[in-house]
Amino acid sequence: MTERQIAGPEAVEQQEPTPGGVASLRPRLLKSTPGIVAGCWLLIAVCLMFSTPPGASPDEAAHYIRALGVGRGQVVLDDVPPKPPAPQFPVQIAWMQEQSGVVRAPERLAPIAFECWAFPFYVGTCWESDPPTSDRTVTFETYVGTYPPAAYVLPGLLMRATDDPTTALMLGRAGILLVSLLLLGLAVFALYDGRTPRSLAAVLLSVSPMVLAMAAALTSSGVEIAAAICFMACLLRLTRCGPPGWVWFSAAFSGATLAVARDLGPAWVLLELGLAAVFIGFRPLRAIWRSGGRRARIFAAVIGVAMGAALVWRAVEAAQPDLSQIRFGGLTSGEAGGLVRQVVGVFGPLDALMPETAYRVWGAMVLVVVVTGFIGGNRWQRLSLGLAIAATVVMAILLEAVQNIYDFGVQARHILPAAVCITMIAGETVARAERPRWLSSRFLMPVLSAAAAAIHLTAWHTIGRRFSKENAPIVFFTDPAWAPPGGWVVWGVLMAAACGAIVLPFLAAFSNSHRAAD
């Protein structure tokens, strides 16, 4: 494989800085591209974290209790006491109780102060009397009690630093955010080739507003999705010529994290390994393995141990669905459309939708890159991309069928570890493609980055309208009933700055290539 096939024909060569003026900033921006992108994602996620009220993300109160227990060494939880059957939702409640566990913690850390943000609409606290302040140990029940504990370790440890439940939840969010953004940052540095911003097309499309919203919430889904992106990025980087040694260790770290984050982790690891093998073709795999040497063996050992631990937890502690009752009803067009929107971004308790234009624009970007990947890729790359699409559809149908056993529905965060493989493989194929000629890096990345930035900003605005007040106007920050610390204007300015900054290196590359063409 030649360097031309790796980076694409329009690779922008680094130029020596010229003294003074804007021109001297262009090479610096190009060199700093991965750091700028990762830093902007971090700032966007922090804005989302503070702009979403505590407890307002999906199942966040339940994950809060799980993290609270893990941080106090309660990894394997006691079962909840038996309860009488629920007359309204007997199947759903029975399954939730099967996954439930009991955490023992001080009463003052009860999540009552924020656990009713979701339904119906509340603004401010829904705890009408003084919250508990007692130090006596009580029991809290969580219906994610059998979830794998690894993703909750850092959040749980950070939560030990406070006696206030709201502060504890925000510290838990910070723990998820630190791990998730570390993984996303590694993905950016793994894929950037130092020559063309087009090498970042994969991560730019994979990190949707929903991915950053999950990274900013107290839920193990954020770590799982970020690990899936990072693992795929590292695997794709290993298929290029001469990958640096640290990529092997990043692949081991992200793959192990993906394996132990949630119940389906081992399945996602095997899926991504298979797709990467198909992407490069089976003959070059031996050469890649040999070139890795000791690093490759360490990678295999770490992944093997992590998958083994995940499978043991799954067999011993996780709740087991009754697969004899599985019902294959398929996905209706409305359900499929809802999943696609969630992949891009549906916020709060999954009731805050962006304007339809945002979904169409993001979908158009993905479609252009996927179609171009099919046109410009070789047979192995096209096969890998097709398998990624098929795997995502199949997993959505399978998970929907399993969820139907207990009258639940599949959500996009459940299938995002598979869905991001589509954009990762398509983006990497476009980065290496030599045709079609019209899709040059001069135009592709500025357009993609500007559209993505606008949709990230739209996502924050959607969250603000959802939580500032009921039926809030477009200009929601003038008279809000609820506002994050510092006020909406502060976070809006920071969000706009982050979304604007993420476009700068791609505009610099466009300007640089334009000057070279002249």
Side-chain angles (χ1 to χ4, degrees), residues 140-456:
F140 302 124
E141 295 182 8
T142 172
Y143 51 80
V144 299
T146 62
Y147 282 27
Y152 302 98
V153 172
L154 180 59
L157 292 175
L158 292 177
M159 291 164 67
R160 292 179 64 94
T162 182
D163 295 330
D164 174 68
T166 300
T167 305
L169 184 137
M170 297 303 291
L171 289 173
R173 285 182 177 180
I176 296 292
L177 181 62
L178 288 173
V179 177
S180 300
L181 266 295
L182 172 62
L183 290 162
L184 294 178
L186 288 174
V188 175
F189 280 92
L191 285 183
Y192 187 58
D193 61 8
R195 303 177 64 192
T196 168
R198 198 166 53 160
S199 59
L200 293 183
V203 287
L204 197 69
L205 283 181
S206 298
V207 181
S208 67
M210 192 66 174
V211 172
L212 293 182
M214 289 294 98
L218 181 47
T219 169
S220 54
S221 292
V223 173
E224 180 187 44
I225 298 165
I229 293 173
C230 185
F231 189 48
M232 197 71 212
C234 292
L235 293 177
L236 292 172
R237 181 64 182 89
L238 290 173
T239 65
R240 296 181 189 171
C241 294
W246 65 265
V247 176
W248 282 103
F249 299 113
S250 295
F253 168 64
S254 57
T257 303
L258 177 59
V260 301
R262 286 172 70 92
D263 284 342
L264 287 177
W268 302 136
V269 170
L270 291 177
L271 173 64
E272 295 198 359
L273 285 171
L275 291 175
V278 174
F279 182 86
I280 188 61
F282 292 107
R283 284 188 177 181
L285 283 178
R286 182 177 297 180
I288 293 174
W289 177 262
R290 287 178 176 175
S291 66
R294 183 172 61 90
R295 298 185 186 95
R297 293 190 292 272
I298 293 174
F299 163 80
V302 171
I303 296 296
V305 170
M307 290 186 65
L311 291 173
V312 168
W313 179 273
R314 177 69 183 165
V316 176
E317 294 297 333
Q320 307 296 332
D322 184 4
L323 297 181
S324 65
Q325 303 297 318
I326 196 168
R327 306 195 302 268
F328 287 98
L331 290 169
T332 66
S333 59
E335 291 170 337
L339 282 179
V340 171
R341 289 182 181 86
Q342 287 182 31
V343 167
V344 182
V346 178
F347 310 103
L350 300 183
D351 63 354
L353 279 77
M354 294 185 290
E356 190 64 26
T357 302
Y359 301 108
R360 292 177 179 175
V361 170
W362 197 281
M365 293 193 299
V366 172
L367 182 62
V368 166
V369 173
V370 168
V371 170
T372 305
F374 276 117
I375 295 173
N378 61 36
R379 61 173 181 169
W380 291 109
Q381 292 166 350
R382 290 195 293 267
L383 178 59
S384 180
L385 181 53
L387 289 174
I389 295 172
T392 302
V393 174
V394 169
M395 289 303 299
I397 294 173
L398 287 176
L399 290 177
E400 177 69 16
V402 173
Q403 294 281 44
N404 281 340
I405 299 175
Y406 303 103
D407 293 332
F408 287 105
V410 67
Q411 298 177 19
R413 60 194 175 100
H414 301 150
I415 62 169
L416 261 169
V420 296
C421 293
I422 300 173
T423 46
M424 292 295 293
I425 292 172
E428 180 67 6
T429 302
V430 168
R432 304 185 189 191
E434 298 184 10
R435 60 187 179 93
R437 298 289 299 179
W438 57 266
L439 196 59
S440 70
S441 59
R442 284 184 56 194
F443 299 100
L444 174 65
M445 297 309 297
V447 171
L448 289 184
S449 61
I455 296 172
H456 281 294

Side-chain angles (χ1 to χ4, degrees), residues 44 63 101 107 119 138 142 167 240 391 398 409 506:
I44 290 172
H63 289 287
E107 186 180 20
F119 300 107
V138 297
T142 172
T167 305
R240 296 181 189 171
L398 287 176
F506 304 106

Side-chain angles (χ1 to χ4, degrees), residues 480-502:
W482 180 85
W488 286 111
V489 174
V490 170
W491 295 107
V493 170
L494 290 174
M495 188 75 184
C499 292
I502 204 171

Side-chain angles (χ1 to χ4, degrees), residues 56-103:
S57 296
D59 305 315
E60 198 165 30
H63 289 287
Y64 165 86
I65 297 173
R66 179 66 169 132
L68 199 67
V70 172
R72 284 164 169 71
Q74 301 171 42
V75 176
V76 178
L77 303 183
D78 295 335
D79 295 334
V80 299
K83 296 181 180 179
Q88 292 181 320
F89 309 101
V91 178
Q92 291 177 321
I93 298 300
W95 175 240
M96 292 172 68
Q97 289 182 352
E98 191 171 342
Q99 298 183 95
S100 294
V102 174
V103 169

